[in-house]
Amino acid sequence: MSQMMIRLFVCMMAVTTMNASGMGEERILTFPNGKTIKYRAYETIYYVSNVVDSTYQYLNYYVPESAYENRNVPVFLKTNVGGYMAAKAAAPSPTDATGRALQEGYVVVIPGARGSNATVLQPDGATVYTGRAPAGLVDLKAAIRYLRSNDASIPGDKERIITDGTSAGGAMSSLLGATGNHPAYESYMQELGADAGRDDIFAAVCFCPITDLEHADMAYEWLYKGTNAGVRGLSTEQIAVSEELAALYPAYLNSLELKTPDGTVLTDVNYRDYLKTFLIKSAQKAHDAGADIPAETGIVLNQGRRGSTGEFVIDVDLDTYLEYVVKRQQLKAPPAFDPLNVLENKASPENSVFGDHTGNAVNFTGFSLQKATNNPSAVMDTELKDRVWLMNPMNFIGDGISRTAQNWYIRHGAADRDTGFQIPVNLATKLINHHYNVNFDLVWNRGHTGDYGLDELFAWIKEITTN
Ligand code: DHB
């Protein structure tokens, strides 16, 4: 090849890959067991044309060597959002699902997203908060559109995008799964200069999703109120707030018209029994794997002969179980999610993420707003109400408008007290009721963490992506 042809060839290569990412950089990821994997890193790729916050609105993507031969591999998109704060784009980690996804040969994408603490200094010296909800979600949706519109230069099958996140990130993953292509986000997308096109995904992996925020306070108190005067140790004033909130939950729960697998309609009357089925299944799975199930959990084992048909879990005393959870970790005080200025409480992550661009945190439920302002007829403004609505996946499942992800993997620790168990249970149940493919477990003895059980998760991903 002549010098000129070589130069022309190199130049063409650059042009074909340039618009998305340049040539990338070769890297090696080393796992705790000493294994390594070679991959190329493509970083700091802005995914909107009107960048509001250059610290966050870009993505990184990573391509294992094997994906250059077989480009049609799944795309594993992890969000590192936590605490409803901003998260930067990041590199794969050998100790979470991103490293494992690379090992499986998948393209890994880790976008940044704005959140409650994202700020930009204006030329006039003012600090503007750029990341108030639904900004973080809109960013992630824009990142997904970017992957699709740059399909030719970014390897990976954009019809098999799998999102993953934990806690607030689990909520984001559930929202990405629930709200695909929904027009309600379009004005936000256009403002950012996001690519036109689809932002629906193939599968959502959600670890301990902290979501359904406007009902999370009442759900929490309804579940845990039996511990208020005992192990939870609330004051008289707190108990009064707890009981008021708890009393609001049945109307909401019943309005969901969720059904058990056998078609029974779930109500506040039979719901505790339904919840018990997940705890029993959880304890059984742990017991089968050799875990010791202490009596203080309220789990009841039958007295079958060991080694024959085996012991199995036949029941759980729910009040005892809930006390056990509370003894492990102090509950949040009521209201758990919208506490701002109620009983002199400070702002939660949720109060902040729904706040305004000047940095103020706000109440985002009518209940707390009325308590905080000492005005029983105070109402939330519609702009805020709309933003709260946009952040709840429950509003979009089965709405006939969204293209909701076909596949869902939802895990929530059976000892996680960051939100009520109803939040993940209702999410999973609504999805099942609408015939989505759902793999859901409360995981025995687990607190508020994510990206665990990776063998099980990636076996499931293999199952849904192999046809
Ligand atoms: C997270 C945890 C919470 O308890 C909460 O209310 C919001 C977010 C988190 O870990 O992301």
Side-chain angles (χ1 to χ4, degrees), residues 29-32 37 62 76-81 88 90-104 106 108-110 164-166 205 207 449-455 457-458 461:
L29 194 66
T30 305
F31 292 88
I37 184 163
Y62 304 90
F76 191 83
L77 185 149
K78 160 118 187 186
T79 170
N80 284 330
V81 165
K88 280 191 171 184
S93 158
T95 56
D96 73 15
T98 57
R100 177 61 178 266
L102 274 186
Q103 272 184 318
E104 298 291 337
Y106 304 163
V108 170
V109 183
I110 311 177
D164 171 41
T166 297
V205 177
F207 285 96
T449 61
D451 275 17
Y452 51 78
L454 296 182
D455 287 345
L457 169 60
F458 281 87
I461 292 175

Side-chain angles (χ1 to χ4, degrees), residues 81-85 166-169 208 210 213 332 336-337 348-350 417-419 448:
V81 165
Y84 282 102
M85 291 185 294
T166 297
S167 193
C208 50
I210 300 286
L213 297 172
K332 295 177 177 183
F337 296 87
S348 67
E350 292 79 8
R417 67 21 135 197
D418 273 48
T419 193
H448 191 64

Side-chain angles (χ1 to χ4, degrees), residues 323-366:
E323 263 185 35
Y324 155 79
V325 172
V326 179
K327 281 184 206 150
R328 282 177 55 127
Q329 192 183 3
Q330 175 76 48
L331 291 184
K332 295 177 177 183
F337 296 87
D338 188 2
L340 179 66
N341 297 332
V342 182
L343 301 176
E344 292 170 21
N345 285 314
K346 300 223 176 342
S348 67
E350 292 79 8
N351 291 131
S352 298
V353 83
F354 285 119
D356 60 33
H357 67 276
T358 67
N360 287 329
V362 297
N363 290 113
F364 58 91
T365 62

Side-chain angles (χ1 to χ4, degrees), residues 241-436:
V241 168
S242 170
E243 286 179 355
E244 262 189 81
L245 277 165
L248 298 174
Y249 189 58
Y252 170 65
L253 176 65
N254 299 345
S255 78
L256 291 174
E257 298 183 346
L258 300 173
K259 293 190 181 74
T260 66
D262 72 8
T264 307
V265 177
L266 283 162
T267 67
D268 60 302
V269 177
N270 59 12
Y271 193 90
R272 280 169 56 103
D273 285 337
Y274 182 59
L275 176 56
K276 281 168 60 168
T277 65
F278 294 99
L279 293 169
I280 289 168
K281 179 180 163 209
S282 174
Q284 184 70 58
K285 207 164 163 177
H287 185 266
D288 291 349
D292 184 39
I293 312 288
E296 62 161 342
T297 60
I299 290 286
V300 184
L301 293 163
N302 78 337
Q303 298 304 310
R305 279 181 297 123
R306 275 188 185 279
S308 55
T309 49
E311 282 183 313
F312 57 96
V313 177
I314 53 171
D315 199 7
V316 57
D317 182 294
L318 189 56
D319 288 328
T320 305
Y321 186 79
L322 294 170
E323 263 185 35
Y324 155 79
V325 172
V326 179
K327 281 184 206 150
R328 282 177 55 127
Q329 192 183 3
Q330 175 76 48
L331 291 184
K332 295 177 177 183
F337 296 87
D338 188 2
L340 179 66
N341 297 332
V342 182
L343 301 176
E344 292 170 21
N345 285 314
K346 300 223 176 342
S348 67
E350 292 79 8
N351 291 131
S352 298
V353 83
F354 285 119
D356 60 33
H357 67 276
T358 67
N360 287 329
V362 297
N363 290 113
F364 58 91
T365 62
F367 179 89
S368 290
L369 178 67
Q370 290 165 9
K371 293 278 180 222
T373 56
N374 205 15
N375 173 5
S377 44
V379 287
M380 278 165 51
D381 69 62
T382 51
E383 187 266 352
L384 175 58
K385 256 192 172 159
D386 285 348
R387 293 192 293 123
V388 173
W389 186 82
L390 289 172
M391 291 298 287
N392 191 341
M394 299 294 281
N395 295 328
F396 298 89
I397 299 159
D399 71 352
I401 302 170
S402 294
R403 179 155 168 183
T404 294
Q406 208 45 245
N407 303 290
W408 292 76
Y409 188 92
I410 304 169
R411 291 292 182 274
H412 190 94
D416 184 344
R417 67 21 135 197
D418 273 48
T419 193
F421 297 121
Q422 306 101 307
I423 304 303
V425 166
N426 292 351
L427 175 64
T429 304
K430 184 155 189 181
L431 288 161
I432 293 166
N433 290 172
H434 288 277
H435 310 293
Y436 293 101

